[in-house]
Structure formats: structure tokens, C-alpha cells
Amino acid sequence: MCQVYSFSMALVVICGQPCSGKSAAAAFLVAALCSSTPDLTIRIIDESSLHLGRNDSYKDMVVEKNLRGVLRSEVDRSVSRDSIIIVDSLNNIKGYRYELWCLARASGIRYCVLFCDTEVDHCKEWNSKRQEKGEPSYDNNIFEDLARRFEKPVRRNRWDSPLFELFPSRDGIVESSPVIAEAVSYLTKKVDSKTRDVKVLQPTIATQTARTTEANSLYEMDKATQEVVSAIVEAQSCGIGLAMNKISLGPDLPTIDLQRSIGLPELRSLRRTFIKLAGQYSLSGPPPPTDADSAKRMFVDYLNREIGA
């Protein structure tokens, strides 16, 4: 068995227009990596691996933003120093590629972008052929919108570098493609203090602090929401406050307004949904609260909207 070297762990971001050959490039990259260094731990993260459909995921800006949040969260959970993660999606927004680059930096691993530079007309033709065959494809209006909004990677940007460019409509893609070979060499080359052509990103104090703060926030939110659920269950079992349909959590916290009895399974479902929504919101907005009272206020406001008056 070949040794799995820690130096070869990385995050690979594949980007390109819809139907530009990205999934084929990802598959050939995996095959080439396995041939070069057996027993590597490699995972592809894409819409299908998360059971998400193409058209449903890009039908409007809200669901598209949610998709990016789900993909980013999965990358954040998966990226480490003992695996190569390949993100096979459009990755069409430069700000989003920057977020992925930040995840790689925080983990202290290598990072690169593999760009399928395919003309839009060819992409449209390939999409039409998939439609005819009943294969996964994009509706025409969704395809046109995504193609129009694509932000091409620029080599001078940190989050787009190093940049490996494939031209599928001109050269095709095979496992032995020179660009695939260059990417494999970059991802698997041994590095030391004298190495200049391979860059392993180094976490900064800011990124390390951010990850610690995020973990603390999630812990506080989990704990606080569970306390709210327990308070509701206890109040209902004792009949406390139900005559006025109000449950108090303390002098400085909002009251919970109930118009009906609510069971523990429904409360647990609401709690899971709230935590998920709070996590997705924090991807583009402020982080979740780090103190219990703030988390309780947010959760009570959410409950009052969902089950209150």
C-alpha cells in the first residue's frame, strides 16, 4: 500500500459555464490523481452528491444563494489535511470563489482552480443534446441567465490562482491531457522550505479566530435553542401560562406566544430548521450570536412567527 502524504491535500475548485465539461474534467482529474498516487482520499462535492437538481437549484436568486451556502458548508465540513476535495459546480461568482479560497487558507492546504473555458455556443449545443437525450440539463431560460452572469477567473487574483485552463470544445478532455497532468503535479508534489512553484496556504490569526468564533456560536445556539424547547415542553406539561397563551423565559427575554399546544416532534423540527437557516444566513451576513440570550431572542422571534399569533 502506498503512503498517503499529507503534502498532497488540497481544495480544487472547478468552474465554467453551464455544460462546459466540468464534470468530465473532475472525473478525469480524479482518475489521474489515483493513477499518480494510489490510496489518496478524494471526494467530489457537487449538486448531485447533495441530491440537488440543476433547475431547482438555479431557478431564482434566492435558491441559488441557498445552494452556494449548502455547497460551502459541505466543503467546510469536508476540507482537511488528509483529503483532496474537488468542488464540481459552476462556481461562477468571484466572491464565492474567494470564500472557498478562505476555507482552504483556514485549513492550511493547497488550492487551485480548474477552468473549463468553453465557448457559450458550444455549451448551449451540449445542453440541447442533453435535453434531447433526457439527461440532466438546464432549462433554456436558466441556461441563458447563468451564462450571462458568469465571472471568468483571472489569474492575478489570489482566489483564482494557480489557474489551470482546459479548452474542452477545442482540445477535448482526457485523463492524459497536459493541463490535467499539470494539475496533478501541483497537487501531489512534495514541498519543503525551498519549494517555490507550489503554495500551501497558511492560516492567519484572523481565520483561525473566525473558525473558533463560529464553533462557539454554533455551540451557544444549539444549547440556547434546546433550553427554549425544554421550557416550552415543561410549561405545557404543567399548564403554566397557557391560559394566557404566553410562556416567559425570563425578565429580559421576549415571551413565547402560543395559540395551540405544540408537541415535542414539531418543536424539534422547528429548532433544526432555525439552526439551519441561521447557519446559511451567517454565510453572507453576520455570524450567529455568541451569547445564549441573543440566541434565545432570535429563536423565540422565529417561533412566534411560525406558531404564534
Side-chain angles (χ1 to χ4, degrees):
M1 179 179 294
C2 294
Q3 182 178 357
V4 180
Y5 295 100
S6 60
F7 59 75
S8 59
M9 306 316 157
L11 176 62
V12 181
V13 174
I14 298 183
C15 75
Q17 294 279 11
C19 293
S20 58
K22 297 184 295 299
S23 294
F28 284 125
L29 177 61
V30 169
L33 283 167
C34 292
S35 297
S36 170
T37 310
D39 294 331
L40 278 176
T41 300
I42 306 171
R43 183 188 174 196
I44 294 178
I45 295 177
D46 59 6
E47 290 87 346
S48 62
S49 68
L50 301 175
H51 308 289
L52 301 171
R54 297 189 180 193
N55 289 311
D56 289 340
S57 299
Y58 293 101
K59 63 184 178 182
D60 59 50
M61 297 299 291
V62 174
V63 295
E64 182 180 338
K65 183 177 180 180
N66 288 338
L67 168 67
R68 290 197 295 271
V70 171
L71 287 170
R72 181 189 180 281
S73 295
E74 190 63 26
V75 171
D76 195 17
R77 283 191 293 268
S78 304
V79 74
S80 67
R81 299 191 183 188
D82 60 3
S83 62
I84 292 180
I85 302 299
I86 300 174
V87 189
D88 175 19
S89 186
L90 293 177
N91 299 314
N92 55 336
I93 297 176
K94 60 183 179 182
Y96 182 61
R97 294 195 297 270
Y98 173 74
E99 291 181 10
L100 296 176
W101 177 83
C102 287
L103 293 180
R105 181 178 62 174
S107 297
I109 60 175
R110 307 181 194 205
Y111 172 93
C112 70
V113 174
L114 184 60
F115 174 38
C116 291
D117 192 355
T118 307
E119 294 84 352
V120 174
D121 288 342
H122 281 95
C123 297
K124 187 181 299 184
E125 179 183 345
W126 290 346
N127 188 57
S128 297
K129 289 181 178 178
R130 291 181 183 180
Q131 291 174 336
E132 295 170 0
K133 296 178 181 178
E135 298 176 350
S137 58
Y138 297 90
D139 291 344
N140 292 334
N141 59 325
I142 293 177
F143 177 92
E144 295 291 345
D145 178 60
L146 292 173
R148 177 180 56 81
R149 292 190 290 110
F150 181 76
E151 296 178 353
K152 188 174 181 179
V154 179
R155 195 180 302 274
R156 67 174 178 270
N157 294 333
R158 292 173 297 169
W159 53 89
D160 290 333
S161 178
L163 180 64
F164 300 98
E165 295 184 75
L166 287 166
F167 300 91
S169 59
R170 185 190 72 188
D171 305 329
I173 310 175
V174 293
E175 183 180 334
S176 58
S177 295
V179 175
I180 296 289
E182 289 177 22
V184 169
S185 175
Y186 180 83
L187 294 169
T188 59
K189 184 176 181 179
K190 294 182 179 181
V191 296
D192 55 30
S193 59
K194 298 180 180 179
T195 304
R196 295 291 179 266
D197 58 342
V198 174
K199 183 176 182 180
V200 178
L201 299 178
Q202 298 299 320
T204 64
I205 294 177
T207 56
Q208 290 175 320
T209 302
R211 293 177 76 88
T212 301
T213 301
E214 182 180 1
N216 292 339
S217 298
L218 292 175
Y219 170 77
E220 288 296 339
M221 180 167 291
D222 183 79
K223 180 181 176 183
T225 53
Q226 184 57 57
E227 289 177 1
V228 173
V229 168
S230 298
I232 295 174
V233 171
E234 182 178 358
Q236 289 185 132
S237 65
C238 300
I240 299 174
L242 293 186
M244 296 179 8
N245 301 320
K246 293 183 181 295
I247 298 175
S248 175
L249 297 175
D252 298 323
L253 295 172
T255 58
I256 303 170
D257 301 320
L258 294 181
Q259 295 301 306
R260 60 180 174 85
S261 178
I262 180 168
L264 182 57
E266 185 177 357
L267 283 170
R268 285 174 173 169
S269 177
L270 288 166
R271 176 174 172 268
R272 286 195 300 268
T273 302
F274 169 76
I275 291 175
K276 181 178 180 181
L277 290 173
Q280 290 180 355
Y281 176 71
S282 70
L283 296 177
S284 56
T290 56
D291 64 285
D293 283 352
S294 295
K296 288 179 181 178
R297 289 189 191 95
M298 289 177 61
F299 187 39
V300 170
D301 288 343
Y302 172 77
L303 290 176
N304 286 337
R305 289 196 303 271
E306 295 295 316
I307 62 176

